[in-house]
Amino acid sequence: MTSARPRPTAVNRLGSMRRRVLPALALVALAGCASNAPQDTWDPAGPNAQMIDDLQRPVFAVAGIVGLIVAAAVGWAIFRFRDRGQAIPKQTHGKPVLEITLTIIPALILAVIGVFTVRTVFDLSKTDDTEMVINVTGQQWWWEYDYPVQEEFGITQPIITSGQLVIPVGTKVMLRQTSRDVIHSYWIPRLNGKRDAVPGRVHLNRIEADEPGIYAGQCTEFCGLSHANMRMEAVALSKEDFAAWVAQQLAPYESPADGLAKEGEAVFLNQCVRCHQVNGLERADGSPAIAAPDENVVSGAAPNLSKLMSRNTFAGAMFDLLTPACRRDVWEASPADFGSKYLAGVSEDCLNQTDLRGWLRNAPEMKPMYANPALLAGTGGKYRGMPYLALTESDIEKLVAYLVTLK
Amino acid sequence: MAIIERPSAPATVPAIPSASLGALKRPVTTQHGWRSWLFTVDHKKLGIMYGATALFFFVVGGLEAVLIRLQLALPDGRVLNADLYNQMFTMHATTMVFLFVMPMVSAFANYFIPLQVGARDVAFPRINAFGFWAFLFGGIFLNLAWFLGGAADGGWFMYAPNSGPVFSPSHGVDFWALGLQITGIASLTGAVNLIVTVLNMRAPGMSLMKMPVFTWMATVVQFLLLFAMPVITVALFLLMFQRNFGATFFDVAAGADPLLWQHLFWIFGHPEVYILILPSFGIISEVLPVFSRKPLFGYPFVVFSGAAIGFVGWGVWAHHMFASGLGPVSVAVFSVATMAIAVPTGVKVVNWTMTLWGGKLQFTVAMKFAIALIVLFTVGGLSGVTHAVAPSDTQQTDTYYIVAHFHYVLFGGAIFGIFSGMYYWWPKMFGKLLSERIGNWNFWLMAIGMNLTFGPMHILGLQGQPRRMYIWTEARAGEGFFNLAFWNLVASIGSIILAVGVLFFFINVLVTARRGAQAPLDPWDARSLEWMTSNPPKEHNFDSIPTVGHLDEFFHRKYAEDHQSGEIRKVQGAEEILAEMERNKDAHIHMPSPSYWPIVLALGLPVIAFGLIYSIPVAIVGGLIVVLGCFGWAIEPSTARDEDVDPPAAPSTEVVRHG
């Protein structure tokens, strides 16, 4: 972890006090140790999450101590004043001085916490030193990432992708979030707290990663049937690797020369392109194939599948494009090796055929997208998520062969 | 208005219309049989009916919770599908909040506020009956959705636009919105009724600062209801018009802002949290002094901190929205306000602990639940402070950490208080003591089960498991001590233990009803007015309305302090006090007659609601029933005629009934 990033000094002081004075506090020590779940909220990997962590650890420590004091006082009273045949106690009605003291002390503790809280709230809302902007749009049940033109990062044309948010390390990235349907919430715990994506509004959410790697996240605002399956992964690449990734995304489309993949392209043009855009794909007559998801999907968009195999996931990051072994290889790579492994994309050997074929065979079976097809009437016949397409097994065979060429 | 006469009032017979108006008659007062329940306006009978209905819904909501935990016990659970799971967690919360804790509080408030303030009934007995029937019909209506195409599936917070017709196409949300509208009417009428009762019908000498704490806290709650229910009523109307009549209040394409719903919901929703918890604070503030054998420590501090919570509770709603993108100024303000509300809450914990301090503690089951509440609520309160800190809340909100937090507050707080109250007041309500032996099983299994269920959720949440997910996946579970798989399983096992613990309560009720010991008149050596009457109380509560001189009036009549030695001596028992009250009984006791109309009026409401969903003519029929009910209510005679009573009542009956 780099130590170059600025931190609010007062909060830091509170944090270092904790490190000196309370190392024995088992709760904090245990809850703070690493190698936990990938969405551990106590394991910051960037300055925004670090600011939160510096604030919350002392607060948890104070809360823990207060809790122990109350439990000890009640426990002692239970033991000491149990009925042992003593006389009926004096009927005291209270001691105002004690009451007021015990009111003021917690009020003061909270006032101190309040000061640091307010400072951190404003520090976290800082946006004027942003270095990079990505538009993030939530939709039932996936996220679209839209990189506007930013020459300094080599982004000379907009890049539209989904499934994995790719960012350069050590760069202050501003996510401009909105939604196309219901409220979603963007949350990569190791990079920052969550921020809702609300239709009709643009909310700003700053993230920054210290080291290359994959950081897991999950939609945290209940958004309907497949809320549980609306996952995200933020991929941090070194600046050089990020430039390579941008070049990869902007490379022109290459139509497969012949064979199964070429037949797959035809199936794609016939079935998939109604909703899914592949940049540069042309129809047989040479006209560009433009997807029109707004005519078929309630929320108006479907994932852009250009360079699909440069991602590791599909279907709103619910399924991996990589087999479990290959996935582990990428996730557990050291920061130094990570970039090259990620940029290699999905090879034919590593492709997770089971889930991809299952998805093409019957998507609503694999991911709940509408409870009752009869109720689709209320949407004017539009789908929520990918419909059942009744593809033949040979079509699926061809499509898989085609999709694996999208790199 | 009923019975606001005081013993000092001149003993005149009130004017009664001499004849029934045509077909409209008052039902005859009976003590037994279904009519005695269906048409009753007796606050005690209504209290018992509230309690029984609430406990039924507690079982329903509990089974929903167990299904949720079974689904989440293992990764990629297959007990429920996504659709059913979403309905399940929506209805679990809705049921527990609106159909269990709130009516359970109504049960205690209805039964005990008149007794604690020395009144013979509430101010508006027929409205009281109407409130119960509206709640019952609203609760049934809400749950009918299960059988008519699926229950509501948008979460109890029902955020727009996910609650709109496109995203929730079944009728579940319609049933939800209209059902809550009906139970909301019940809450509002109840609130007005109890506020008037407390302000106008206290026994002579009972100043506000001599009122028992339960009555105080319940009164604060009625004020919260009075101001909070209209907000959710408005919100539900907007939602209903959006879904059923094409309105666009939350339609972004038409220029609406979905955050409007969040503000409306939480301006209601946060005071609602205090509506749920404050009555239990009141209950244990009665129980702890009785079993510590000393008065509540710092009574004025407890009362005023309760009132302060009631006020500040209106200024913290946006802490449910720290991730909604309110902007740093709003977030900072609501963050600090939320910390401020921890102070009066802390005051209560201090006072309860100091009440125990120096006492002579008797660990009855009621006392065990009360003491457990102090500790469990403190855990929930402290985790609450950790997310009053807005930046860390953005890591915690919508994770299981929040689920852990509010279950410690609402299960460890509200529900443990309710159980404490049931063990404490059961002999008062039914004349029999619940078994302490079975009660101990009940308490310990609930305490262990509750901590096993909700304790691990702290870990799950801090490890990043979000709420409201019908499955969790091993890919995000991690390894080692904090892995999600282990703690999800523990929580699920805990929920079974918790359910068994609750089962012991119902076993206890059955065993007690069959062969429970007759309760002595004053089984706990209690302190407040509700114990200064028989078990269960007579219909008119008190033979003579007591004149109150002390906060713990009953205690002060039983005990005297020796001024020299400071020794507390018993000077007379409950039997002697009651005998004296009977000797001085009031010449005329006026009790309200039963009425047919509250249930008729309430029955019209779900009919209207059905009509709004399915067919407007049905709604008109419902409206006619309501109008008919209002007219019948208005022009029914104020009392049953003597010749209607079988056998005909002697004209010189002691208890005179009138409206």
Side-chain angles (χ1 to χ4, degrees), chain A residues 366-382:
Chain A
M366 299 198 49
K367 180 176 181 178
M369 293 187 278
Y370 36 85
N372 179 358
L375 297 173
L376 278 175
T379 65
K382 291 186 181 181

Side-chain angles (χ1 to χ4, degrees), chain B residues 40-100:
Chain B
T40 187
V41 295
D42 177 5
H43 73 100
K44 296 182 289 299
K45 281 200 161 134
L46 289 166
I48 289 170
M49 289 197 282
Y50 261 116
T53 314
L55 284 172
F56 169 75
F57 283 123
F58 181 46
V59 173
V60 173
L63 291 176
E64 286 161 358
V66 168
L67 282 172
I68 290 172
R69 277 321 314 171
L70 287 178
Q71 164 76 4
L72 297 179
L74 298 172
D76 303 312
R78 296 204 163 271
V79 177
L80 303 168
N81 62 31
D83 186 33
L84 260 180
Y85 182 87
N86 292 348
Q87 296 174 37
M88 210 57 80
F89 79 72
T90 303
M91 291 305 288
H92 164 67
T94 305
T95 303
M96 287 303 192
V97 169
F98 294 99
L99 307 182
F100 170 52

